[in-house]
């Protein structure tokens, strides 16, 4: 039996803006994609993984192999050569185990092949997509003269700038097979980290967008396919949630209701009540649902 853990997550409603430092002229831009025929904003899986690694570093006594240094604005490494992976029982780090790694070296002599150390991520993360289309909101602002050393190098006039913003929720999914980990108990630490994400989609790190789950649907199963990614919808522009497609899939038999643990806002909706009647474990709290999944995984793995 191979156990798989899947989850679909939706955040609280908040205001997202550029957190990458990229601009078009003097306007900071949002990443966008066409989703179901309309323009939506999006947050990369890498941004979610970055924040997840920070939580893993705080949770693990030995820390993570890679740690972001806010002073030097670079990554610090404990074992950049991934030394422990070459032998059975070698010491490894939780972030390498969950998030994978790649270290490639070019050939040192012409005609010789290069080398690469590669480990595929066990914790897979989808791109986050806004729950509602982007209406094109942009704010116009002015930085006061001398606000930063680079803002106004000439004169005493304010420096105008614009920022694309999006008041919305984001949804994304994860997948994980604990048996693929060097230490299977790291799976529950990953779930706890995901349940407590925060600074993922802000604005240059100055403004907070709460990226922790407002609602989450876990699936613990032997089925290798998730079948629940991007299952959240909204009937009223993001004010409340629905999961009609998930209900349909349970009723169709593609997903066993007993495999589902649901937490957060969905619990009190028509979709949440329908899933509870079908046999899903529905809880009002995110923390309670996350702990229930951790307990179920620990029981199966024992």
């Amino acid at each position: 039996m191979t156990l798989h853990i899947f989850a679909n997550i939706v955040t609280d409603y908040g205001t997202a803006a550029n957190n990458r430092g990229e601009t078009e002229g003097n306007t900071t831009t949002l990443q966008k994609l066409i989703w179901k025929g309309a323009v939506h904003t999006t947050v990369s899986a890498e941004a979610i993984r970055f924040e997840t690694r920070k939580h893993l570093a705080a949770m693990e006594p030995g820390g993570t192999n890679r740690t972001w240094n806010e002073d030097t604005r670079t990554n610090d490494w404990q074992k950049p050569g991934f030394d422990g992976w070459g032998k059975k029982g070698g010491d490894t780090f939780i972030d390498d185990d969950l998030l994978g790694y790649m270290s490639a070296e070019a050939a040192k002599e012409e005609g010789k092949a290069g080398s690469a150390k590669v480990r595929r991520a066990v914790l897979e993360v989808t791109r986050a997509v806004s729950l509602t289309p982007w209406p094109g909101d942009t704010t116009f602002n002015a930085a006061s003269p001398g606000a930063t050393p680079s803002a106004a190098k000439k004169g005493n006039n304010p420096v105008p700038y614009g920022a694309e913003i999006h008041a919305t929720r984001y949804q994304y999914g994860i997948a994980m097979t604990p048996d693929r980990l060097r230490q299977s108990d790291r799976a529950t630490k990953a779930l706890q980290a995901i349940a407590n994400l925060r600074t993922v989609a802000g604005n240059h790190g100055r403004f907070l967008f709460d990226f922790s789950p407002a609602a989450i649907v876990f699936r613990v199963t032997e089925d290798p396919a998730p079948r629940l990614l991007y299952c959240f919808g909204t009937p009223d522009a993001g004010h409340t949630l629905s999961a009609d497609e998930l209900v349909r899939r349970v009723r169709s038999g593609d997903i066993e209701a007993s495999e589902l643990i649901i937490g957060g806002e969905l619990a009190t909706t028509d979709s949440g009540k329908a899933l509870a009647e079908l046999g899903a474990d529905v809880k009002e709290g995110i923390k309670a649902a996350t702990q229930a999944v951790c307990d179920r995984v620990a029981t199966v793995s024992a």
Side-chain angles (χ1 to χ4, degrees):
M1 179 185 76
T2 300
L3 188 71
H4 307 282
I5 304 170
F6 304 112
N8 195 55
I9 297 153
V10 64
T11 71
D12 272 307
Y13 198 86
T15 305
N18 180 301
N19 64 351
R20 299 166 292 122
E22 295 184 5
T23 62
E24 290 181 4
N26 65 343
T27 300
T28 59
T29 57
L30 287 164
Q31 288 187 316
K32 308 175 196 72
L33 80 169
I34 303 299
W35 183 259
K36 299 181 180 178
V39 177
H40 286 64
T41 58
T42 180
V43 176
S44 72
E46 280 301 328
I48 300 168
R49 285 162 50 93
F50 181 87
E51 182 66 14
T52 302
R53 192 187 303 270
K54 287 168 60 179
H55 282 274
L56 294 174
M59 296 165 64
E60 192 76 347
T64 50
N65 192 10
R66 192 175 92 185
T67 306
W68 178 249
N69 187 321
E70 291 287 356
D71 294 328
T72 62
R73 308 293 293 169
T74 60
N75 285 299
D76 294 334
W77 290 85
Q78 296 197 61
K79 300 287 185 182
F82 307 102
D83 305 334
W85 293 93
K87 53 186 177 182
K88 188 176 181 180
D91 291 333
T92 58
F93 291 92
I94 188 171
D95 56 332
D96 296 338
D97 208 359
L98 284 163
L99 303 175
Y101 58 81
M102 177 175 180
S103 176
E105 291 188 5
K108 296 179 180 178
E109 298 180 23
E110 188 173 353
K112 300 288 186 180
S115 62
K117 296 179 179 178
V118 180
R119 174 175 171 77
R120 182 184 171 88
V122 175
L123 176 62
E124 298 174 301
V125 183
T126 72
R127 176 172 286 275
V129 179
S130 64
L131 198 62
T132 54
W134 182 59
D137 286 347
T138 304
T139 62
F140 291 94
N141 317 280
S144 57
T148 67
S150 60
K153 296 180 179 178
K154 295 181 180 179
N156 294 317
N157 294 322
V159 180
Y161 67 94
E164 293 180 348
I165 60 173
H166 194 185
T168 189
R169 300 169 182 258
Y170 286 94
Q171 70 168 321
Y172 65 98
I174 64 168
M176 183 166 46
T177 303
D179 282 353
R180 290 181 50 217
L181 292 166
R182 182 65 67 92
Q183 296 181 24
S184 61
D185 65 337
R186 288 169 171 167
T188 57
K189 295 178 180 178
L191 296 176
Q192 294 290 353
I194 292 290
N196 291 288
L197 290 181
R198 56 191 299 261
T199 53
V200 174
N203 181 358
H204 295 288
R206 292 177 294 201
F207 306 114
L208 173 66
F209 189 108
D210 184 358
F211 224 73
S212 66
I216 190 166
V217 177
F218 291 106
R219 185 182 182 211
V220 182
T221 179
E222 297 176 36
D223 185 349
R227 307 187 198 281
L228 49 60
L229 298 179
Y230 300 109
C231 67
F232 290 115
T234 175
D236 48 14
H239 182 64
T240 60
L241 301 173
S242 61
D244 296 341
E245 176 60 17
L246 181 63
V247 174
R248 188 196 68 79
R249 291 201 173 198
V250 173
R251 285 178 171 154
S252 73
D254 285 343
I255 296 176
E256 293 290 335
S258 61
E259 298 172 342
L260 298 177
I261 298 176
I262 296 165
E265 287 184 29
L266 195 67
T268 56
T269 66
D270 290 343
S271 297
K273 293 173 183 176
L275 290 164
E277 290 175 357
L278 289 166
D281 184 359
V282 180
K283 302 180 184 299
E284 291 194 17
I286 297 296
K287 293 182 179 180
T290 304
Q291 188 58 53
V293 175
C294 292
D295 292 344
R296 187 178 293 190
V297 172
T299 301
V300 173
S301 302

